[in-house]
Amino acid sequence: MSTMAKRKKSVSGELALIARLRAKAGTLSGRRIRLGIGDDCAILRAPRGHELLVTTDFSLEGRHFRRAWHTSQSVGHRTLARGLSDIAAMGGRPLAAFLSLALPRAVARDTRWIDGFFEGLLALAEESNVPLAGGDTAEAPGDEVLTDIVLIGSAPAGHALTRSGARPGDEIYCTGALGGAAAELAALARAPGKFRRAQAGDAHPHLFPQPRLAVGQALLRRRLASACIDVSDGLSTDLAHLCEASGVAAELDAALLPAHPLTAALAPAKQMAAVLHGGEDYELLFTAQPEVKVPRSLAGVPIARIGRVARYNKSRPRMTILAEGTRFELQPRGWEHLR
Ligand SMILES: [Mg+2]
């Protein structure tokens, strides 16, 4: 833990928070951690023959969550899920997580909120077998909770999945279902009180997204995928990233897209928008060479073929979608942050 922030806040407050963090995280010491929380740095052992993967993700109140809408368990879970999903997208194994937490004074004193936050974060950490190996706390300058998660992972040297390996003729696949997080967020905005008792699990794609670590690892181990990305910003945006990185175009088929059952509650015009552009589903979007046999499910998660990679031609749209017999241009529309 850095001591930088201590001058600005009550030292005893931060020490108490660190003590809680250490007590909670201490139960999760991985054999990859030679030295965890309590020194100036953690010391990690990288597995032999592996490369390290590093990713960092903000979760900012007002942008990614609201304390009035999200329970602290959900905020903790989502903070870690964002980082784990990036490790999943590369086919990696998480080695350790590092958390930076800036709390407004009132929240720093709210032990129920803090306990809930760590409960949510550490439950997912335990499930994903990743120790929380360090972090930093500070008093937030404003009234918003700000968190940042750093994930260190590993993948066999030279074999991590990347966005840039898709080639014309490859098939396009995605895991699970799409649009569920956007649909649940819409329901949450209407009636946050209904979700106060929501628990982690597949039923809550927005509040408790399930990063697809086991699927990503299976794709890597079985050499199934030519390229992979996680769907954090929405199918249309993340597919655009993959296409740009690979220098290819994509042709989707609307009839093949796996709409999450929660999208049925949306107005018909909004259902397809949630599937195509709704963010934070944290599913994996990947491509595979046409001769590769991709199973219908991996690690218990359904896999859907949703389209095909095509040659990119500057004079034609990068992405198209076939809907009711007509092919339309598909624009990356991403997801809108909370307002
Ligand atoms: Mg990502």
Side-chain angles (χ1 to χ4, degrees):
M1 292 283 169
S2 150
T3 54
M4 253 169 46
K6 280 181 186 164
R7 238 170 300 131
K8 288 190 181 169
K9 67 172 288 189
S10 120
V11 172
S12 64
E14 178 169 350
L15 290 179
L17 192 58
I18 292 170
R20 294 172 91 80
L21 171 57
R22 195 186 296 182
K24 286 170 188 297
T27 55
L28 277 172
S29 59
R31 68 192 174 90
R32 296 291 172 201
I33 311 282
R34 197 157 78 68
L35 195 57
I37 291 175
D39 218 303
D40 289 300
C41 291
I43 304 179
L44 305 184
R45 284 194 190 91
R48 188 180 300 237
H50 283 58
E51 290 169 323
L52 293 179
L53 312 175
V54 184
T55 178
T56 168
D57 282 280
F58 273 132
S59 293
L60 309 179
E61 184 173 359
R63 281 272 126 157
H64 302 100
F65 67 91
R66 288 184 176 171
R67 263 181 292 149
W69 293 4
H70 298 78
T71 60
S72 54
Q73 285 86 352
S74 168
V75 176
H77 177 107
R78 286 161 47 84
T79 291
L80 180 59
R82 288 164 68 76
L84 288 176
S85 182
D86 283 331
I87 299 289
M90 310 289 287
R93 262 169 220 288
L95 293 181
F98 299 84
L99 172 73
S100 293
L101 195 54
L103 299 174
R105 187 169 300 179
V107 180
R109 292 189 181 135
D110 183 349
T111 51
R112 258 186 60 191
W113 196 92
I114 292 168
D115 284 349
F117 175 87
F118 281 114
E119 197 182 297
L121 188 142
L122 293 173
L124 179 61
E126 197 162 350
E127 207 177 293
S128 313
N129 201 18
V130 53
L132 183 60
D136 193 15
T137 62
E139 183 177 325
D143 286 330
E144 283 89 29
V145 171
L146 312 170
T147 82
D148 184 46
I149 194 85
V150 173
L151 256 292
I152 311 288
S154 70
H159 291 288
L161 307 177
T162 66
R163 301 176 177 186
S164 58
R167 297 293 172 260
D170 286 1
E171 306 275 7
I172 304 172
Y173 298 84
C174 76
T175 63
L178 300 171
E184 184 171 48
L185 177 59
L188 181 67
R190 271 197 311 275
K194 278 192 189 164
F195 293 85
R196 299 310 288 180
R197 288 171 188 279
Q199 300 282 326
D202 277 337
H204 296 288
H206 172 78
L207 292 170
F208 295 100
Q210 302 297 307
R212 302 303 190 190
L213 284 164
V215 179
Q217 289 160 15
L219 290 174
L220 184 151
R221 191 176 59 245
R222 296 167 65 171
R223 310 262 169 109
L224 296 173
S226 51
C228 189
I229 187 170
D230 66 319
V231 184
S232 53
D233 295 337
L235 175 64
S236 60
T237 296
D238 291 312
L239 180 59
H241 291 324
L242 187 147
C243 285
E244 277 160 27
S246 295
V248 296
E251 298 169 350
L252 295 185
D253 184 340
L256 299 177
L257 295 174
H260 193 285
L262 287 179
T263 59
L266 296 172
K270 292 196 168 168
Q271 291 177 12
M272 190 47 84
V275 170
L276 287 174
H277 312 301
E280 301 191 301
D281 281 315
Y282 298 112
E283 297 294 348
L284 297 182
L285 173 67
F286 65 95
T287 58
Q289 293 177 2
E291 62 274 15
V292 169
K293 251 192 147 15
V294 175
R296 280 161 190 257
S297 78
L298 278 170
V301 179
I303 308 288
R305 188 179 62 82
I306 60 172
R308 180 163 296 166
V309 177
R311 204 168 295 283
Y312 177 55
N313 178 333
K314 267 204 299 245
S315 61
R316 287 205 293 268
R318 173 87 75 177
M319 302 188 295
T320 63
I321 182 161
L322 181 68
E324 288 163 18
T326 308
R327 194 157 278 287
F328 298 91
E329 175 171 5
L330 177 65
Q331 299 246 0
R333 285 241 312 268
W335 71 287
E336 289 169 26
H337 289 290
L338 303 176
R339 298 200 189 265

